Amino acid sequence: MSGVSVVDDSERVGLLAGLAGVAALGGMAAVGAARNIARKSVVGKSDPHADIDLTRLYDEQARTVTTDDGLDLAVRTVDLGDVPDGTPPELTIVFVHGFSLRLASWHFQRDQLAAEWADRNYRFVFYDHRGHGESDPAPVETCTIAQLADDAAAVIRSTVTAGPVVVVGHSMGGMTVMGLARRHPALFSSTGPVAGVGLVATASRGLTEAGLGEGLGNPVVDAFRLSVRRAPRLVQAGRGLTRQALEPVLVAASFGPAFFSPALGSAVEKMIQNTPIETIVNFLHALEIHDESTALPVLAQVPTTVVCGDKDRLTPLPNSVRMYSQLGPDSRLVVVKGAGHMVQMEEPRMVSDAIVDLVDRARIARPAPRRRWWKKLGKA
């Protein structure tokens, strides 16, 4: 019948198994979620971010970048310095947000770095991934790190008019930057614009080997993901249960155990809740199979900074240490004590300072050494 989704028994079994598996995944975060709720009722403790408004970043100059496959991405730009209109920036910093978040997750860096560089002719670029924030929905087959990498390349092409580029990615945004290096290595070469890379609370691989990410490898989660793709109408009925299962994992892992700010916690929770459930579920597979280890030598051609909280349960510190060890002598590792996965919001000053240091060290990749002509003859 027209407009009716027919679901056979195998699909129903897959859906039910998937819901059970996602519920089990949510149970992994039960203790953390309870601790987060308890933080909201601390008597006599003032909230340092009581008046937080993460929507302010959407008031910045708006533009749209169309991806190679025709989707529109929401972009916001901030131009610093007292320079005449139309003056090309001396340097552009592109911020790439994480899984189930949006460009507003860089709220603190926007303000702190704008104050730090008020007299510099710099441009900040923030954008929402496909399927996130104000960008177009993501077709299921495009929910991959490779596609996000191509989207990042499109954003750079459209927003960088001159000068070098520093790219900073958080969580899935860091994975996107690695994918960018693998798929578009020329951007990181001696003739490309990328002059520095910041990797914040992310991993080159191994998300299913440690931390809460272990739950991604659960076969029943795969069954639920398949149900979303094959029987979307049936899944609509399970939306509430799915959110109840998945969101505690993300919210509970956002901050370290001692962090206190009910307002900021609620703001992050709202970002996750406003991300379509289809986006969250469809990108889970991309996180599960993520392995961009081969991108690290490309990134190592430019200065890098790796930042991670030592209480990060989604991308645990060993992941960052492993990346840092493979990024060469021009890399720095910043470990933020007590911080969780949302380190750029939990300890924003430390992350902003790490970006300032990265920009100070920024340089285009050095040309490959030229071989001596007599050595070439010897190879003939």
Side-chain angles (χ1 to χ4, degrees):
M1 292 181 291
S2 177
V4 177
S5 177
V6 178
V7 182
D8 62 24
D9 290 341
S10 63
E11 287 174 335
R12 285 192 172 88
V13 170
L15 173 62
L16 294 174
L19 287 173
V22 174
L25 179 62
M28 296 172 63
V31 175
R35 183 168 59 239
N36 283 348
I37 293 170
R39 286 184 214 150
K40 296 181 181 180
S41 59
V42 176
V43 178
K45 192 169 185 177
S46 61
D47 186 342
H49 303 297
D51 299 322
I52 192 76
D53 179 11
L54 296 187
T55 66
R56 278 199 299 114
L57 243 174
Y58 286 95
D59 295 334
E60 304 292 356
Q61 182 177 353
R63 63 189 300 171
T64 297
V65 170
T66 302
T67 65
D68 296 341
D69 60 341
L71 299 188
D72 287 341
L73 303 182
V75 179
R76 297 295 184 272
T77 58
V78 179
D79 288 325
L80 306 181
D82 186 14
V83 297
D85 290 343
T87 303
E90 297 174 5
L91 179 139
T92 300
I93 306 173
V94 178
F95 296 85
V96 191
H97 73 76
F99 174 63
S100 75
L101 301 172
R102 58 199 311 171
L103 62 83
S105 60
W106 297 109
H107 170 91
F108 293 105
Q109 283 64 49
R110 181 261 178 263
D111 287 352
Q112 292 175 349
L113 294 175
E116 178 81 21
W117 292 320
D119 59 344
R120 305 279 185 93
N121 181 19
Y122 288 175
R123 170 175 292 172
F124 298 161
V125 175
F126 307 90
Y127 72 97
D128 287 330
H129 287 301
R130 60 177 58 213
H132 294 73
E134 295 184 353
S135 291
D136 281 350
V140 60
E141 68 275 7
T142 72
C143 293
T144 66
I145 298 299
Q147 182 63 66
L148 295 185
D150 290 347
D151 291 352
V155 170
I156 291 174
R157 287 196 308 268
S158 299
T159 61
V160 177
T161 57
V165 181
V166 170
V167 188
V168 182
H170 168 250
S171 186
M172 189 172 74
M175 301 171 198
T176 299
V177 176
M178 293 178 232
L180 180 69
R182 178 175 59 83
R183 293 176 64 81
H184 303 272
L187 294 174
F188 300 79
S189 69
S190 60
T191 58
V194 178
V197 169
L199 301 172
V200 181
T202 188
S204 59
R205 64 177 180 85
L207 277 185
T208 59
E209 297 172 5
L212 294 178
E214 288 180 283
L216 296 178
N218 190 324
V220 289
V221 176
D222 286 333
F224 179 78
R225 187 184 305 114
L226 181 63
S227 304
V228 170
R229 298 184 183 186
R230 296 180 61 188
R233 292 180 182 273
L234 185 58
V235 171
Q236 292 288 335
R239 264 176 188 273
L241 178 57
T242 309
R243 285 205 176 277
Q244 291 173 29
L246 284 173
E247 285 173 7
V249 179
L250 304 174
V251 175
S254 294
F255 300 103
F259 180 71
F260 177 81
S261 174
L264 191 55
S266 295
V268 170
E269 187 172 7
K270 186 175 180 179
M271 281 195 283
I272 296 171
Q273 289 174 343
N274 286 340
T275 302
I277 191 64
E278 292 83 2
T279 293
I280 293 176
V281 172
N282 288 333
F283 271 108
L284 282 177
H285 183 60
L287 301 182
E288 180 185 342
I289 66 173
H290 167 67
D291 187 344
E292 293 290 351
S293 303
T294 58
L296 297 182
V298 179
L299 295 178
Q301 296 178 102
V302 300
T304 58
T305 293
V306 179
V307 182
C308 189
D310 67 355
K311 301 300 182 183
D312 188 335
R313 292 185 292 149
L314 282 179
T315 53
L317 181 58
N319 288 293
S320 290
V321 174
R322 181 165 56 197
M323 284 191 303
Y324 166 68
S325 69
Q326 299 176 61
L327 285 171
D330 210 349
S331 181
R332 294 184 180 173
L333 174 65
V334 178
V335 179
V336 184
K337 292 185 177 180
H341 192 61
M342 296 296 296
V343 60
Q344 82 276 26
M345 303 186 82
E346 188 171 354
E347 293 290 348
R349 186 73 259 175
M350 291 194 69
V351 175
S352 295
D353 286 348
I355 295 173
V356 170
D357 173 74
L358 174 63
V359 168
D360 288 343
R361 295 185 291 118
R363 60 161 176 78
I364 299 298
R366 298 185 176 97
R370 297 182 64 181
R371 294 175 60 188
R372 303 293 185 181
W373 63 268
W374 59 83
K375 291 186 178 180
K376 293 180 183 178
L377 288 177
K379 294 281 188 180

